[in-house]
Amino acid sequence: SAVISQKPSRDICQRGTSLTIQCQVDSQVTMMFWYRQQPGQSLTLIATANQGSEATYESGFVIDKFPISRPNLTFSTLTVSNMSPEDSSIYLCSVEETATEAFFGQGTRLTVV
Amino acid sequence: KQEVTQIPAALSVPEGENLVLNCSFTDSAIYNLQWFRQDPGKGLTSLLLIQSSQREQTSGRLNASLDKSSGRSTLYIAASQPGDSATYLCAAPTGGGADGLTFGKGTHLIIQP
């Protein structure tokens, strides 16, 4: 199974600022994803992080607000830009190979004040 | 697009009882289905992955079944313990050419000592 390290585990940020979340995997993986879990809600996919190309965003999420990098097969970052209190959520990194098990990081709990 | 529904939304039972959590999905053209556990404020722990060719998967006191034709999966927990208290999430591939998983809203389980 893949081991995923996500940093930071939590942060409290001022509105209007940006936060970059890092996701490191202990092995090379084809597919990496970023999810958001708003308070009391289930997980929603933000985007697929593609190695060497632009991320693929789901409806309702845009690159200007959630820029994503994936420089290699073991690392990705998600930036939450120009934050507002509505961005307060848990952000989770996930990896999987097609038709196999998905694994998740421990999440980043973000509070915007 | 895939939709995943979980019933019940919450469940509280005394320790030692056997229980069943239900999951239904709308797009039966899935290659697998996965059950996760989430503790408060934490990331997701994978419990069981059922491939589309399987009907059941077991791990310790947990047993998950999959019926693709009816669009249903169940998670059976035997001899429940207080440590089983958590939110249980069912996830199916989003499908339709899209990547990632679609999650249900979860079953919040409390096992009373």
Side-chain angles (χ1 to χ4, degrees):
Chain A
S1 63
V3 176
I4 303 170
S5 300
Q6 199 173 322
K7 293 191 299 185
S9 59
R10 59 176 61 222
D11 207 340
I12 301 173
C13 300
Q14 297 291 323
R15 68 178 66 200
T17 63
S18 298
L19 176 72
T20 295
I21 303 168
Q22 299 181 2
C23 177
Q24 178 75 54
V25 190
D26 68 343
S27 60
Q28 293 187 342
V29 292
T30 303
M31 310 193 79
M32 293 181 74
F33 304 95
W34 288 98
Y35 288 83
R36 180 176 73 180
Q37 186 177 32
Q38 295 177 299
Q41 303 298 313
S42 193
L43 281 75
T44 301
L45 181 64
I46 297 172
T48 302
N50 301 308
Q51 193 267 329
S53 64
E54 196 171 281
T56 304
Y57 289 84
E58 297 300 304
S59 176
F61 297 96
V62 296
I63 187 171
D64 290 346
K65 176 67 175 178
F66 299 101
I68 289 171
S69 77
R70 187 162 179 205
N72 55 52
L73 292 176
T74 64
F75 185 79
S76 178
T77 66
L78 167 74
T79 299
V80 186
S81 302
N82 189 25
M83 288 183 286
S84 67
E86 291 71 35
D87 295 319
S88 297
S89 298
I90 298 175
Y91 293 85
L92 298 114
C93 170
S94 172
V95 302
E96 67 175 276
E97 301 288 352
T98 302
T100 64
E101 197 168 3
F103 297 98
F104 282 77
Q106 74 273 28
T108 296
R109 178 184 283 273
L110 171 62
T111 302
V112 184
V113 298
Chain B
K1 202 172 182 181
Q2 184 73 271
E3 294 182 7
V4 178
T5 303
Q6 290 187 246
I7 296 173
L11 184 61
S12 179
V13 300
E15 179 178 4
E17 283 200 6
N18 303 323
L19 51 99
V20 175
L21 309 183
N22 297 290
C23 171
S24 62
F25 47 93
T26 56
D27 184 354
S28 60
I30 59 172
Y31 48 81
N32 62 31
L33 183 137
Q34 202 164 347
W35 284 90
F36 294 89
R37 167 184 173 143
Q38 185 175 33
D39 292 287
K42 303 295 185 181
L44 275 64
T45 300
S46 178
L47 296 174
L48 288 165
L49 172 75
I50 312 175
Q51 299 290 356
S52 60
S53 58
Q54 299 174 311
R55 292 188 64 83
E56 284 190 4
Q57 190 69 256
T58 298
S59 176
R61 294 182 294 107
L62 305 179
N63 175 276
S65 67
L66 175 64
D67 184 344
K68 281 184 59 177
S69 61
S70 66
R72 294 180 182 179
S73 177
T74 61
L75 179 66
Y76 176 83
I77 302 176
S80 58
Q81 302 172 359
D84 295 330
S85 298
T87 296
Y88 290 80
L89 295 165
C90 170
T94 298
D99 293 321
L101 299 174
T102 296
F103 284 81
K105 293 185 177 181
T107 294
H108 180 55
L109 177 63
I110 296 175
I111 307 299
Q112 307 155 10

